[in-house]
Amino acid sequence: MPSALALRPAHAPACSAAEPLPARPDADEWTDAAVLAGTTAIADGALKAAAAAIDGGTYPLDIMARLGAAGALGVHLDRFGARFGLAVAAMQAASRSCGATGFLMWCHDVCGLYLEQSGNPALSGAVLDDHAAGRTFGGTALSNPMKAFAGIEPILLRARRVPGGYRVSGMLPWVSHIGPGQYCGAIAGVTGAGDTISHEIMFRLDCDRAELKPCPHFSGMEGTSTWGVRLDDVFVGQDDIIADPARPFIGRIRGAFILLQCGMGLGVAEGSLDDMLAVEEALGHVNQYLDDRPETIAAELAELRARVLRLAETPYDGAPDYLIDVLDARAQVSELALRASQSALLHQGARGYLMSAAPQRRIREAHFVAIVTPAIKHLRREMARLSQEILPTGSLQGGRP
């Protein structure tokens, strides 16, 4: 597949927040060029204008609906060609203007991935069509399970088998891109005798059946509609089961799950590069003494996104070497976003330190990219574990395998 990033027009037309929501194009109209041009127009217009408000708490469902109509939320699905590179590029285009919205796109994308890959007809028909087109909205509650599977923390939701399904109880501290009338993918440990966990199930959770509790205020990304979720004996029937057991399913999609996140960090880094270039004419004579100059960030960004797009060609490759490459790329994306955002603030100086300034916001967005599951420390831990499995300690003797 050709690089979707190369399809971005140099001067995409902007759209204003007041423009009406366009009719959803047929899937045949979701070509690479059309999706990226539509996403870029939204990002450079309505989204850029709303970025500060979103950072402060405005939940941009109207903009998400526009992105869905443009195809940006569905092209990674098998039914639309499994174009993961295009999905990453669309997320980068949005994150360049607003990292919070890029994160919402990732939440929505992986929820669609769960629904389609479940193989459950109740989840992969009209339900998935509406989700992919941005007519309905759903997020992901896998932060705790992903850390639980890595041995970092215990799993927090517990399920018990009952006739026709399961009853699930427990509390998750934060789940994003959810609200009344919405849904998310979640995982619970199935308990048996002695409260031991026999296995885990993954299911679609209808948020109207859970208690949503306000979270403490974060330093940014407040427009992501993030809530604490409490479940009290909620029934989960077969129509809502994504995977039973859940671990083999997660093992199959985890590369795709992590790879899609790269769009967020690439976009934040690219937005930071924009901020650096914006003051180059006025301040270049003194900024030349700073590290991580625009040409350095631009070269690293181009190389890294090319690497991500190559990995996106085989998102379901289950080989350990491939997964290590995905984890490493994801970690490098985080590190580049951190460096680029800090450099942008240093390049802009006091004007970039204003609370309303884009560099100040991107500093916080980059920190989020670095700590959202899987965080940099989690990624490095998993790379070390997988590397040890491939090449166990002591396998090299006398410098020979």
Side-chain angles (χ1 to χ4, degrees):
M1 184 182 82
S3 170
L5 287 164
L7 299 174
R8 180 190 303 152
H11 300 287
C15 60
S16 70
E19 291 175 352
L21 180 69
R24 181 176 76 89
D26 294 333
D28 289 344
E29 297 179 24
W30 286 356
T31 65
D32 284 17
V35 169
L36 205 48
T39 301
T40 302
I42 295 166
D44 290 348
L47 183 55
K48 186 175 182 178
I54 294 168
D55 182 61
T58 298
Y59 184 28
L61 278 188
D62 56 338
I63 293 176
M64 288 292 290
R66 292 177 64 86
L67 290 167
L73 305 180
V75 292
H76 64 298
L77 300 174
D78 288 350
R79 63 182 58 198
F80 300 122
R83 290 173 287 171
F84 276 79
L86 179 58
V88 169
M91 197 181 303
Q92 177 178 348
S95 300
R96 182 181 185 180
S97 292
C98 175
T101 300
F103 172 60
L104 291 174
M105 292 175 70
W106 173 77
C107 292
H108 198 90
D109 282 0
V110 292
C111 187
L113 193 70
Y114 308 154
L115 299 178
E116 183 173 66
Q117 295 298 315
S118 72
N120 184 341
L123 301 178
S124 55
V127 168
L128 183 57
D129 286 337
D130 286 343
H131 181 88
R135 293 193 291 261
T136 60
F137 301 99
T140 176
L142 264 60
S143 177
N144 165 253
M146 286 297 197
K147 286 183 276 191
F149 291 166
I152 295 173
E153 64 186 37
I155 197 158
L156 297 178
L157 296 185
R158 300 299 174 93
R160 56 185 177 85
R161 195 183 297 274
V162 297
Y166 295 90
R167 292 277 180 182
V168 180
S169 298
M171 171 72 185
L172 296 172
W174 36 69
V175 180
S176 299
H177 194 32
I178 59 172
Q182 295 174 219
Y183 46 89
C184 63
I187 292 179
V190 178
T191 57
D195 203 36
T196 58
I197 295 178
S198 61
H199 68 287
E200 297 83 16
I201 60 166
M202 187 170 179
F203 58 98
R204 182 186 65 167
L205 172 63
D206 179 349
C207 293
D208 289 345
R209 304 183 65 199
E211 180 185 1
L212 303 185
K213 303 175 70 67
C215 287
H217 286 295
F218 297 109
S219 62
M221 310 286 288
E222 282 286 271
T224 57
S225 195
T226 299
W227 299 83
V229 178
R230 181 180 294 280
L231 282 69
D232 186 11
D233 209 32
V234 172
F235 177 72
V236 175
Q238 291 304 311
D239 281 354
D240 284 317
I241 291 293
I242 294 172
D244 185 358
R247 288 197 187 220
F249 180 86
I250 293 300
R252 182 160 54 85
I253 69 162
R254 62 180 174 174
F257 175 99
I258 295 167
L259 189 62
L260 281 169
Q261 287 186 337
C262 291
M264 291 188 293
L266 291 173
V268 172
E270 188 176 14
S272 299
L273 176 59
D274 292 339
D275 293 337
M276 297 165 71
L277 293 172
V279 296
E280 187 63 11
E281 183 176 350
L283 299 175
H285 64 288
V286 63
N287 283 343
Q288 65 179 306
Y289 297 104
L290 291 172
D291 297 329
D292 292 326
R293 293 281 286 134
E295 59 273 16
T296 301
I297 296 298
E300 292 187 30
L301 177 63
E303 181 180 359
L304 187 52
R305 70 186 181 188
R307 179 184 175 193
V308 169
L309 289 177
R310 285 195 299 271
L311 291 169
E313 294 174 1
T314 56
Y316 299 111
D317 187 336
D321 283 347
Y322 174 81
L323 185 56
I324 290 173
D325 284 345
V326 169
L327 295 167
D328 183 60
R330 169 70 174 86
Q332 290 198 38
V333 164
S334 296
E335 290 159 2
L336 179 61
L338 289 169
R339 283 177 44 227
S341 61
Q342 175 171 282
S343 185
L345 181 56
L346 294 177
H347 275 69
Q348 289 218 352
R351 74 186 73 181
Y353 196 58
L354 296 172
M355 192 62 188
S356 59
Q360 203 275 348
R361 170 171 53 82
R362 289 194 174 103
I363 285 275
R364 292 179 280 109
E365 291 175 348
H367 281 122
F368 180 82
V369 172
I371 66 171
V372 68
T373 303
I376 288 178
K377 57 189 176 183
H378 184 172
L379 292 163
R380 290 175 179 168
R381 186 176 191 267
E382 283 298 290
M383 283 189 281
R385 181 184 66 80
L386 288 168
S387 297
Q388 189 170 21
E389 288 180 1
I390 294 172
L391 191 64
T393 301
S395 63
L396 296 178
Q397 298 293 332
R400 295 184 298 117

